[in-house]
């Protein structure tokens, strides 16, 4: 299957994205024994939930804006139910939020590097997508001065990920409050994809607490190992939340109700579901940091948060490295071209520690081969 380049962001008159090449690649890449491409923790086993079929309420009724799930999300994230909009995963939450926030031709600012489907969705919706840099030599920090320099009077929306995908850099509340000031000056909003935020150390509260300018998306996918439930949500000020619910009547109408029931069961015991994941991630980050430290051909800020890391390979284009790793060592990483930085690559730290250990051994061998 041919691998296509990441789409050019649609500028005025530019091509509108009609697909996500990254997502297609991520779904259909050949399987390997040591998949360090993953950005989520191991799947939680649903058969450990105290579940009987009656819990799934197979009554065929329609449950619009299913109140128990909305309340469970609101409780967990310390907001009111009126601020919560349900969506199928963070993916649909992002799409719905973007669709509600931008009109064709609106100027928006998106971080670079970023999660490619955010760019694709904005382009599909006809936004005039401009970019601002998060620089590797600055630890991919959210530099609000740089965002301000890239912004114009017409900027309607600023889009970031926090934790940052691919680097896991954390934007702290001081950064976010500075960003809020900028958004207020521009009369713009800020969309933050927070799907990795619960894996910050320690976990941070959602930016939804910092003001009505913030529109935050999240799901049970990455940190809780429940991607199959597709339980995602948007936190937004109530008026916008209402608009997004209404907009969703054009898209998905309702969530799959049985999945909503399962998500409620999961929310009732989310800390148990999290289990020893934070300890595993801490171990894996330490293992990764030691690996990078020992290699002269890699540069990477120390992994402190999150489930992924994004080292730079001094050997050049990481596609060559990814090919060698897959073909000779049955191991996979995400080539940096998917994040517009081909000399970087993304390593998933959410796999069991023995898998990470062996994956890193094999990565080391591939790097040695290519020296
Ligand atoms: C930043 C970001 N947002 C959203 C998603 C998708 O999340 P979900 O499975 O909840 O749709 C991913 C998955 O890689 C991601 O990295």
């Amino acid at each position: 299957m041919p691998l296509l380049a990441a789409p050019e962001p649609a500028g005025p008159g530019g091509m509108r994205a009609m697909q996500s090449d990254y997502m297609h690649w991520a779904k259909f890449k050949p399987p390997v024994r040591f998949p360090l491409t993953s950005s989520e923790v191991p799947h939680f086993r649903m058969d450990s939930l105290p579940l009987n079929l009656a819990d799934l309420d197979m009554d065929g009724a329609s449950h619009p804006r299913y109140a128990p799930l909305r309340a469970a999300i609101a409780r967990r994230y310390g907001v009111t139910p009126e601020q919560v909009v349900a969506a199928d995963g963070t993916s649909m939450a992002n799409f719905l939020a973007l669709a509600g926030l931008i009109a064709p031709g609106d100027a928006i600012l998106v971080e670079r590097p970023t999660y490619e489907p955010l760019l694709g969705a904005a382009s599909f919706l006809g936004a005039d997508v401009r970019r601002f840099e998060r620089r590797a030599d600055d630890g991919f920090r959210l530099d609000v001065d740089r965002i301000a320099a890239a912004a114009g009077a017409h900027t309607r929306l600023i889009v970031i990920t926090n934790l940052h995908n691919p680097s896991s850099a954390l934007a702290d509340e001081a950064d976010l409050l500075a960003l809020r000031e900028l958004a207020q000056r521009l009369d713009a909003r800020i969309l933050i994809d927070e799907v990795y935020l619960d894996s910050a150390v320690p976990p941070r509260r959602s930016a939804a607490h910092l003001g009505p300018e913030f529109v935050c998306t999240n799901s049970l996918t990455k940190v809780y190992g429940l991607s199959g439930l597709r339980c995602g949500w948007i936190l937004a000020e109530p008026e916008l939340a209402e608009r997004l619910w209404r907009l969703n009547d054009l898209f998905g109408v309702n969530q799959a109700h049985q999945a909503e029931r399962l998500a409620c069961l999961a929310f009732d015991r989310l800390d148990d579901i999290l289990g020893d994941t934070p300890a595993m991630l801490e171990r894996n980050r330490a293992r990764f940091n030691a690996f990078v430290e020992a290699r002269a051909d890699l540069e990477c800020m120390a992994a402190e948060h999150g489930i992924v890391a994004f080292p730079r390979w001094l050997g050049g284009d990481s596609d060559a490295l990814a090919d060698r790793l897959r073909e000779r060592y049955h191991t996979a990483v995400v080539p940096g071209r998917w994040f517009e930085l081909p000399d970087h690559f993304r390593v998933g730290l959410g796999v069991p520690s023995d898998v990470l250990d062996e994956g890193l051994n094999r990565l080391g061998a591939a790097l040695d081969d290519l020296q």
Side-chain angles (χ1 to χ4, degrees):
M1 191 165 304
L3 299 185
L4 306 173
E8 281 301 310
M15 292 289 287
R16 179 176 168 230
M18 295 298 288
Q19 60 193 36
S20 166
D21 294 328
Y22 168 69
M23 190 49 70
H24 190 78
W25 174 84
K27 284 178 174 172
F28 297 109
K29 61 192 176 322
V32 293
R33 282 170 55 205
F34 300 95
L36 306 187
T37 40
S38 171
S39 59
E40 55 192 72
V41 305
H43 289 162
F44 178 75
R45 288 198 58 101
M46 297 302 286
D47 60 4
S48 54
L49 289 181
L51 178 66
N52 58 59
L53 270 186
D55 289 330
L56 296 185
D57 188 17
M58 308 283 278
D59 62 3
S62 164
H63 299 273
R65 305 187 187 190
Y66 187 53
L69 180 56
R70 212 176 170 193
I73 296 168
R75 251 192 326 275
R76 177 88 185 175
Y77 290 92
V79 297
T80 65
E82 290 69 34
Q83 289 174 273
V84 178
V85 182
D88 292 335
T90 312
S91 304
M92 193 62 193
N94 286 336
F95 186 82
L96 188 55
L98 286 166
L101 289 167
I102 53 185
D106 275 356
I108 75 167
L109 265 180
V110 182
E111 66 186 6
R112 184 193 339 252
T114 197
Y115 177 58
E116 183 251 28
L118 283 168
L119 279 177
S123 160
F124 173 80
L125 291 164
D128 172 8
V129 181
R130 320 266 173 104
R131 312 298 298 282
F132 69 90
E133 305 297 323
R134 299 182 67 154
R135 294 173 48 138
D137 59 9
D138 198 16
F140 293 101
R141 186 170 67 87
L142 191 74
D143 181 335
V144 177
D145 291 338
R146 194 169 293 124
I147 303 175
H154 299 297
T155 303
R156 292 278 63 83
L157 180 69
I158 298 163
V159 181
I160 63 171
T161 52
N162 193 34
L163 305 176
H164 180 220
N165 184 8
S167 72
S168 295
L170 171 78
D172 62 23
E173 288 202 358
D175 299 324
L176 296 173
L177 289 171
L179 189 59
R180 179 185 182 213
E181 259 183 58
L182 173 65
Q184 284 172 334
R185 285 206 300 280
L186 296 168
D187 195 22
R189 302 240 199 189
I190 304 156
L191 173 61
I192 309 192
D193 178 324
E194 295 184 338
V195 77
Y196 297 103
L197 192 61
D198 291 2
S199 63
V201 184
R204 306 304 208 271
R205 62 179 182 166
S206 167
H209 293 277
L210 302 181
E213 295 79 7
F214 290 99
V215 182
C216 302
T217 57
N218 198 349
S219 72
L220 294 181
T221 292
K222 300 290 177 188
V223 185
Y224 303 97
L226 289 167
S227 54
L229 282 184
R230 309 309 295 141
C231 174
W233 58 88
I234 304 163
L235 306 183
E237 50 86 7
E239 221 178 278
L240 175 61
E242 176 62 28
R243 267 206 286 133
L244 297 177
W245 279 113
R246 298 294 294 265
L247 185 58
N248 195 44
D249 289 341
L250 291 179
F251 297 150
V253 181
N254 287 328
Q255 277 41 73
H257 185 57
Q258 278 66 35
E260 290 180 314
R261 301 292 297 227
L262 287 169
C264 284
L265 286 174
F267 268 103
D268 282 347
R269 44 187 68 72
L270 213 46
D271 290 327
D272 293 341
I273 288 174
L274 195 57
D276 67 358
T277 291
M280 180 193 81
L281 288 173
E282 193 183 331
R283 212 167 43 239
N284 288 357
R285 289 185 206 110
R287 175 71 178 90
F288 173 79
N289 290 339
F291 174 80
V292 170
E293 187 80 4
R295 295 223 54 113
D297 50 358
L298 294 182
E299 286 175 0
C300 192
M301 65 197 207
E304 289 175 52
H305 308 282
I307 306 178
V308 292
F310 196 52
R312 173 167 176 253
W313 179 41
L314 275 55
D317 189 332
S318 63
D319 261 304
L321 175 62
D323 289 349
R324 168 63 63 123
L325 251 182
R326 192 184 63 251
E327 284 157 15
R328 188 169 290 183
Y329 297 102
H330 250 279
T331 301
V333 294
V334 181
R337 76 186 148 93
W338 292 117
F339 298 95
E340 304 169 90
L341 285 178
D343 62 349
H344 285 63
F345 59 97
R346 199 186 70 181
V347 180
L349 306 176
V351 291
S353 296
D354 56 334
V355 175
L356 181 73
D357 279 344
E358 186 52 29
L360 291 179
N361 287 341
R362 288 164 184 245
L363 173 59
L367 287 165
D368 289 345
D369 289 352
L370 296 173
Q371 252 172 12

